[in-house]
Amino acid sequence: MKYKGIIFDLDGVICFTDEYHYLAWKELGESIGIFNFTREDNHRLRGVSRMESLEILLEKSKRKFSLEEKFKLAEEKNRIYRNLLAKMSEADLEQETFTVLKDLKAKGLKLAIGSSSKNARYILEKIGLLTFFDAISDGNNITKSKPNPEVFLKAAGLLNIKPGDLIVVEDAKAGIDAAVAGGFASVGIGDAANYEKSDYKIEKLRELLDIIEK
Ligand code: B16
Ligand code: MG
């Protein structure tokens, strides 16, 4: 086999919580007078950390906020977001995604999560995957977010496999940049499927089964 393991981004690859991010940022924005935060704007937040996402939202405000106020705003967004995540269940994991993950595991590959989200474990618990992966690296164990490769390098360390033997699957350009910077093979799906820096471009996760055999 060409690779020993796969690191999956969570949001946009395994499950889809971007609509919840959108609703939460929109509600937060409205509480401080921002009424024009669109789904298109929300697109720019993919793979970006919570505080960086807040800065993008605040580009739409003339007001200046102190760092303390910004932390409070980020906390409030997270409260709204987690209330929305609370409604998630195993039904939010596509059957085909779960089948592909099981097929990859059955081939002897080590599987990990590499997510910018501090809510990754909560989301994984909701969709029934908390104990499925061999390692979880998330927003809680990093100091630099994507495009810095830290989250993936930590996942590789937890798996005890070197980056050159691992594939990273990402939906965000910042995530592909992080994979390239870390020395991983990169697979772009969704938004990242049109990104020239993706080593492999896929439409469906099942295509990973071909890539690992190549
Ligand atoms: P949180 P991923 C990312 O998850 C999301 O794509 C991004 O929109 C979000 O801002 C980021 O997590 C931080 O999320 O506020 O829950 O810590 O794609 O890296 O799995
Ligand atoms: Mg993502």
Side-chain angles (χ1 to χ4, degrees):
M1 207 108 66
K2 203 172 169 192
Y3 300 99
K4 293 183 178 161
I6 306 180
I7 303 172
F8 293 90
D9 171 53
L10 181 61
D11 183 22
V13 174
I14 302 291
C15 64
F16 303 88
T17 58
D18 50 331
E19 180 67 12
Y20 298 145
H21 279 296
Y22 168 66
L23 293 171
W25 284 121
K26 189 170 150 59
E27 189 177 326
L28 181 82
E30 285 170 1
S31 75
I32 51 172
I34 298 168
F35 295 99
N36 58 348
F37 183 71
T38 63
R39 283 193 173 78
E40 208 160 274
D41 295 324
N42 190 60
H43 227 61
R44 287 176 60 201
L45 313 185
R46 275 177 182 269
V48 172
S49 75
R50 195 180 306 164
M51 289 305 283
E52 286 165 315
S53 299
L54 176 66
E55 294 295 346
I56 293 172
L57 174 76
L58 294 183
E59 284 173 11
K60 290 184 173 280
S61 173
K62 287 196 189 93
R63 251 176 83 185
K64 288 280 164 262
F65 295 86
S66 68
L67 194 58
E68 201 187 332
E69 285 173 316
K70 285 179 184 174
F71 280 130
K72 284 210 176 104
L73 288 173
E75 207 178 291
E76 174 61 7
K77 181 269 173 176
N78 196 48
R79 190 192 60 75
I80 304 167
Y81 177 58
R82 282 183 68 104
N83 277 342
L84 296 166
L85 290 182
K87 293 177 203 149
M88 286 182 88
S89 71
E90 289 179 18
D92 288 287
L93 175 65
E94 283 172 24
Q95 188 56 50
E96 171 66 1
T97 299
F98 190 40
T99 305
V100 170
L101 289 173
K102 282 191 293 188
D103 290 348
L104 291 166
K105 217 180 202 184
K107 296 242 174 221
L109 287 156
K110 294 286 180 199
L111 307 183
I113 289 289
S115 165
S116 303
S117 176
K118 292 186 171 169
N119 295 298
R121 283 174 192 271
Y122 183 50
I123 296 167
L124 286 167
E125 184 196 329
K126 284 281 168 194
I127 61 176
L129 285 182
L130 188 57
T131 58
F132 179 85
F133 290 93
D134 299 293
I136 299 171
S137 175
D138 64 24
N140 296 298
N141 66 354
I142 53 169
T143 53
K144 295 170 228 87
S145 59
K146 301 166 189 173
N148 188 288
E150 188 181 9
V151 73
F152 298 137
L153 291 173
K154 290 242 162 111
L158 291 168
L159 291 176
N160 203 14
I161 301 175
K162 55 180 196 308
D165 289 329
L166 290 164
I167 303 177
V168 165
V169 188
E170 259 290 348
D171 71 308
K173 288 181 181 175
I176 295 290
D177 289 342
V180 173
F184 299 87
S186 62
V187 176
I189 192 166
D191 275 6
N194 304 314
Y195 190 34
E196 67 276 5
K197 285 198 191 161
S198 302
D199 294 318
Y200 304 96
K201 300 172 175 77
I202 62 171
E203 270 181 44
K204 304 253 173 255
L205 281 181
R206 178 152 294 282
E207 293 166 55
L208 286 170
L209 285 150
D210 300 326
I211 292 172
I212 56 160
E213 304 285 2
K214 272 179 190 157

